[in-house]
Amino acid sequence: QVQLVESGGGLVQPGGSLRLSCAASGSIFRINVMGWYRQSPGKQRELVAHISRGGSTMYTDSVKGRFTISRDNAKNTVYLQMNSLRPEDTAVYYCHAYITTAATMRTDAYWGRGTQVTVSS
């Protein structure tokens, strides 16, 4: 069984920074694309950023220049460094990954449970 566990959320003032982490564990053969999504009350879940196994990245326009996604393949972990945070960044942030499991060699999408990020003065 595969699990994704996020950490690093919290309350921060506008202009502040937070770093989210997401560690994958379990019967893992390979982790492919990893990413971060977010969902605010009353809104659909949206893609924030993703990163390929080789390190290619993509960001939604609203976070370009402020957020940086990275990963450590040896630790099965993806990070999201968030700088210059704005109130509109307030949301639950979810980790997402396409993982090939060792037991079945099948690739499926997995989600973490989410971590709350609140940007407020």
Side-chain angles (χ1 to χ4, degrees):
Q1 190 170 354
V2 172
Q3 281 189 319
L4 298 177
V5 179
E6 303 101 335
S7 60
L11 172 64
V12 64
Q13 291 187 339
S17 298
L18 282 175
R19 189 192 195 209
L20 305 183
S21 300
C22 171
S25 62
S27 178
I28 296 171
F29 175 75
R30 173 186 289 263
I31 303 178
N32 304 299
V33 174
M34 303 185 81
W36 291 93
Y37 286 71
R38 66 186 179 186
Q39 187 168 20
S40 306
K43 294 187 178 180
Q44 288 190 330
R45 191 173 296 189
E46 65 168 348
L47 174 65
V48 177
H50 67 66
I51 183 169
S52 71
R53 183 170 179 83
S56 297
T57 58
M58 187 286 291
Y59 299 90
T60 192
D61 285 346
S62 62
V63 308
K64 285 180 181 176
R66 302 188 297 122
F67 291 10
T68 302
I69 189 170
S70 60
R71 64 189 286 173
D72 185 332
N73 291 332
K75 296 182 178 179
N76 290 338
T77 300
V78 63
Y79 306 95
L80 186 68
Q81 177 65 45
M82 304 184 294
N83 299 328
S84 302
L85 282 160
R86 304 167 180 168
E88 54 264 38
D89 295 318
T90 296
V92 178
Y93 284 70
Y94 296 90
C95 177
H96 176 268
Y98 286 100
I99 298 174
T100 303
T101 57
T104 65
M105 297 304 288
R106 196 174 91 172
T107 301
D108 291 301
Y110 292 85
W111 291 92
R113 292 188 174 185
T115 184
Q116 177 70 46
V117 171
T118 302
V119 185
S120 175
S121 54

